[in-house]
Amino acid sequence: MRLLVIEDEPDLLAGLARALRKEGYAVDTAADGEDGLFKAEGADYDAVVLDVMLPRLDGWTVLARLRARKRTPVLMLTARDASTDRVRGLDGGADDYLVKPFDLPELLARVRALIRRGAHQPRPALTIGEVRIDTVARTVEHAGAVVPLTAREYALLEYLALHRGEVITRTALYEHLFGDEDSTLSNLIDVHVFNLRKKLGPDVIATRRGHGYVIA
């Protein structure tokens, strides 16, 4: 899953990006509203973490302009906990609202919930035949046994499972699994799919030649 964090406090921005990458997300960052809006409009993110008080363009303006073009899930961050601010954010199109200072586990949980809702999969556990994906613990079981996956393998499997029945092109998978700082190889998606089939069985992920991959 690919996330965008728009935050002007350098330490908080770096800390959030580090924590999210540790969870296996591909993360892009922006330190002001103008750059954040440019990135949010130019890529298909699975969620955006958006601070309210930003230079150049504030979070309200970024949200309004983004909502005119996209439905990307947005979690707003602010140091202001007045109910009027929360109402303004939610009425303006934000999907969730978190007041600073916040606990990191809560932010991670809210991001996971946003991603599930954005994919119309509200349940935290996804089942595909004998494969069970726990999106909270970020673990995978096959026939009741835990299967160790790399962070990228898990991200690929989770994305296809959240979009079950949809054929996802390799280009779309690259866009959702790799951030701006990642170096990618042209066959990396194919390698991850090959490894997932070895670990979970050959029929979990189907290939649609000339189009992409799908979990039926």
Side-chain angles (χ1 to χ4, degrees), residues 55-192:
R56 297 192 178 181
L57 293 177
D58 63 26
W60 308 121
T61 304
V62 173
L63 178 64
R65 295 187 183 180
L66 179 62
R67 278 292 170 263
R69 297 188 57 184
K70 290 194 171 186
R71 299 179 59 85
T72 309
V74 173
L75 169 62
M76 296 200 78
L77 302 179
T78 182
R80 302 164 62 178
D81 62 355
S83 62
T84 53
D85 288 333
R86 294 195 295 272
V87 169
R88 180 180 179 184
L90 295 171
D91 282 347
D95 298 273
D96 203 353
Y97 197 101
L98 192 56
V99 177
K100 300 177 184 177
F102 52 82
D103 292 327
L104 181 60
E106 181 179 0
L107 180 137
L108 295 174
R110 289 174 182 266
V111 167
R112 289 192 297 266
L114 283 185
I115 291 172
R116 291 196 303 268
R117 289 203 299 268
H120 307 293
Q121 297 281 357
R123 295 181 179 179
L126 307 172
T127 302
I128 307 157
E130 293 188 313
V131 176
R132 183 180 185 275
I133 305 168
D134 186 332
T135 64
V136 176
R138 301 180 73 78
T139 58
V140 175
E141 296 179 3
H142 181 251
V146 175
V147 179
L149 300 181
T150 67
R152 201 70 78 186
E153 288 168 357
Y154 174 85
L156 174 57
L157 179 66
E158 182 188 54
Y159 188 80
L160 289 173
L162 286 171
H163 297 82
R164 190 171 181 174
E166 299 178 36
V167 178
I168 309 298
T169 66
R170 288 176 176 80
T171 299
L173 288 171
Y174 273 112
E175 290 177 350
H176 284 276
L177 298 181
F178 297 98
D180 290 340
E181 295 184 354
D182 290 315
S183 58
T184 60
L185 301 174
S186 61
N187 68 333
L188 205 50
I189 296 294
D190 299 328
V191 171
H192 290 321

Side-chain angles (χ1 to χ4, degrees), residues 185-203:
L185 301 174
S186 61
N187 68 333
L188 205 50
I189 296 294
D190 299 328
V191 171
H192 290 321
V193 170
F194 176 80
N195 290 336
L196 285 169
R197 285 171 173 162
K198 284 179 62 178
K199 295 177 179 181
L200 301 174
D203 300 325

Side-chain angles (χ1 to χ4, degrees), residues 4 6 34-45 48 61-62 64-70 72:
L4 173 64
I6 310 173
E34 190 174 273
D35 185 38
L37 179 62
F38 175 79
K39 290 182 176 179
E41 290 182 330
D44 290 326
Y45 291 99
V48 174
T61 304
V62 173
R65 295 187 183 180
L66 179 62
R67 278 292 170 263
R69 297 188 57 184
K70 290 194 171 186
T72 309

